[in-house]
Amino acid sequence: MGRLIARRPVIRVTPAGSRSRPDSIAVEEPLELRVDGKPLAVTMRTPGHDVELAHGFLHTEGVIGNAEEIRDARYCDSRDDEGRNTYNVLDLGLAPGVPAPVTGVERNFYTTSSCGVCGKASLDAVRTKTRHSPAADDVTIKYDVLATLPDALRARQQVFDRTGGLHAAGLFTPTGELLVVREDVGRHNAVDKVVGWALLNGRIPARGLILIVSGRTSFELAQKAVMAGIPILGAVSAPSSLAIDLAAESGLTLAGFIRNGNLNLYSHSERVNVESAEVHTTYRS
């Protein structure tokens, strides 16, 4: 798996004693994104699918609307101490007539693996208006299909199986067919890679598709789904309050805690057919 996995020594401690052995670790390296030669952002990511990551990032930030707005993508001459190309600087050229990113898109600090919003000029810069609102998407999915999708995603996490250290995102059809899965140390990067794949394969707006993510759902992940026109977003863990608010305002169906046949629906539940599940409604103020 090349640069996806590194080997590091570890001391394994158990009730039976301790021993030293090599361990498989998920690789994390910086990627500097440039647009027409101008530095735009630095994100800590797992190497691989960098062009998808860059396309997805620019799309979910509202810089581009389709793949044709990128003229080319090339790695710059970034060298390590031994003179080898690190492939950690990627420059994307915009097609003629495509406006350069506005200042508010620039991330002035390193984004981290856990927080893609860090370094934003303001929260208003995150609330980019989407070109592909999911509000009118009338796709539906059966409850019992949606409940199986995190397990289907987990089964395709090859690097996680080796390291236990990566997030994942995947796009599914309403029948449960997995179209693409991407892994990364940053959950926001995994989603950008998936969106970039969709953009490069003519699937944006992603009408009728379901985005499943490992872990929790932050505001930024909900924002990326809305920007891509994805109507349903599901996660293994909890959403944040701001993610729920954005989903409700934007017409996004948001599901969380999809585990062991159970799930919570936080917004626009009409897209999930719950006829196969017994429904009880309880509300306490």
Side-chain angles (χ1 to χ4, degrees), residues 55-114:
H55 278 73
F57 173 76
L58 292 181
H59 177 76
T60 59
E61 294 292 341
V63 177
I64 62 172
N66 55 65
E68 289 69 32
E69 294 183 6
I70 296 294
R71 182 185 68 250
D72 55 35
R74 60 183 180 85
Y75 286 101
C76 298
D77 190 18
S78 173
R79 301 285 174 176
D80 63 16
D81 294 338
E82 298 180 4
R84 296 172 299 190
N85 195 326
T86 64
Y87 298 98
N88 284 338
V89 181
L90 185 64
D91 189 15
L92 291 97
L94 297 177
V98 179
V102 297
T103 303
V105 171
E106 294 180 4
R107 299 187 179 189
N108 300 316
F109 305 99
Y110 284 75
T111 59
T112 70
S113 332
S114 59

Side-chain angles (χ1 to χ4, degrees), residues 19-64:
R19 63 186 180 92
S20 178
R21 63 177 178 83
D23 197 13
S24 295
I25 307 296
V27 169
E28 181 178 32
E29 294 182 1
L31 176 67
E32 178 182 328
L33 296 179
R34 299 178 182 176
V35 174
D36 289 330
K38 180 181 178 182
L40 179 68
V42 176
T43 187
M44 303 304 295
R45 98 306 188 189
T46 299
H49 303 106
D50 290 336
V51 174
E52 291 179 351
L53 169 59
H55 278 73
F57 173 76
L58 292 181
H59 177 76
T60 59
E61 294 292 341
V63 177
I64 62 172

Side-chain angles (χ1 to χ4, degrees), residues 130 132-134 221-230 246-247 250 252:
T130 179
H132 313 296
S133 172
L221 298 195
Q223 172 77 3
K224 290 179 182 298
V226 171
M227 290 297 294
I230 296 169
L246 178 64
S250 304
L252 172 69

